[in-house]
């Protein structure tokens, strides 16, 4: 079974750069407290790296 990432938005996207707001939207996050589970691949790792200061990431099986 492939590893997955549980991504939780913990900070607001207000006053962040447009590309970071777009990245949150691409991950499926809209407001503080939203949680999404995404596959652990290069694309999603890049998304998480871009907004690392706004999200909390956990690896799940």
């Amino acid at each position: 079974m492939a590893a997955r990432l549980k991504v939780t938005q913990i900070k607001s996207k207000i006053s962040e750069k447009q590309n970071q707001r777009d990245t949150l939207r691409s991950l499926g996050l809209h407001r503080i407290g939203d949680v999404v589970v995404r596959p652990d691949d290069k694309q999603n790792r890049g998304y998480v790296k871009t907004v690392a200061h706004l999200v909390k990431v956990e690896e799940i099986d």
Side-chain angles (χ1 to χ4, degrees):
M1 184 176 203
R4 295 180 293 167
L5 299 175
K6 179 180 174 185
V7 185
T8 306
Q9 184 175 344
I10 58 170
K11 292 181 87 175
S12 174
K13 63 185 174 186
I14 294 174
S15 78
E16 298 299 330
K17 293 179 182 177
Q18 185 64 45
N19 70 315
Q20 293 173 351
R21 286 185 258 159
D22 293 341
T23 301
L24 286 173
R25 180 60 55 98
S26 296
L27 282 169
L29 299 169
H30 301 285
R31 60 180 53 97
I32 296 173
D34 277 359
V35 178
V36 293
V37 176
R38 304 288 299 229
D40 187 2
D41 57 16
K42 288 183 180 181
Q43 180 180 5
N44 288 320
R45 286 284 180 168
Y47 285 162
V48 167
K49 186 176 179 181
T50 301
V51 293
H53 59 291
L54 303 175
V55 299
K56 179 178 74 172
V57 181
E58 302 171 42
E59 291 185 11
I60 59 175
D61 292 327

